[in-house]
């Protein structure tokens, strides 16, 4: 198991971050992590706390942008990369459907219907 991101808030309001990811050694893994995270977000529930997880992820993104010197460039890069990942996931899901798999996605806080295993 790899720790992608651990975010801890201490009693004094200090927030600390930790990860097992080493982007200096392998910068390409960021796209891989983003793709895996997007696929997981689209295809399975995370234990019922999706709404809070998404809100915290967005808060971290806002904090990063607040400190970024070149916000517009960063936003353009994020938009471009997000679209590439989205297109790839949609194509993968369509391919799964073409091969007979049933693909179901759920929005945050939407539980799947109870089904027999």
């Amino acid at each position: 198991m790899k720790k992608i991101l651990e975010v801890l808030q201490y009693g004094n309001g200090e927030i600390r971050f930790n990860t097992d990811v080493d982007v200096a050694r392998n910068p390409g893994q960021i796209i891989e992590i983003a793709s895996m995270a997007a696929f997981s977000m689209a295809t399975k529930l995370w234990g019922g706390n999706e709404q809070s997880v998404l809100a915290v992820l967005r808060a971290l993104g806002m904090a990063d942008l607040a400190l970024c010197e070149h916000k517009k460039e960063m936003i353009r890069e994020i938009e471009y990369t997000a679209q590439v990942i989205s297109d790839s996931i949609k194509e993968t899901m369509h391919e799964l459907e073409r091969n007979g798999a049933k693909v179901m996605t759920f929005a945050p806080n939407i539980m799947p219907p109870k089904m027999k295993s």
Side-chain angles (χ1 to χ4, degrees), residues 36-96:
M36 288 187 299
F39 192 75
S40 293
M41 289 172 174
T43 59
K44 58 186 170 188
L45 297 174
W46 318 335
N49 61 349
E50 302 85 10
Q51 187 174 21
S52 293
V53 169
L54 288 170
V56 170
L57 289 173
R58 290 179 180 132
L60 294 173
M62 286 183 268
D64 183 29
L65 280 172
L67 299 173
C68 183
E69 219 174 287
H70 305 286
K71 287 177 187 58
K72 289 182 181 180
E73 291 173 29
M74 185 174 176
I75 290 169
R76 275 195 302 274
E77 181 63 29
I78 290 170
E79 285 177 337
Y80 172 78
T81 305
Q83 188 61 54
V84 169
I85 292 169
S86 176
D87 292 345
S88 175
I89 288 173
K90 287 176 187 171
E91 180 57 34
T92 299
M93 293 170 91
H94 291 313
E95 187 63 32
L96 287 168

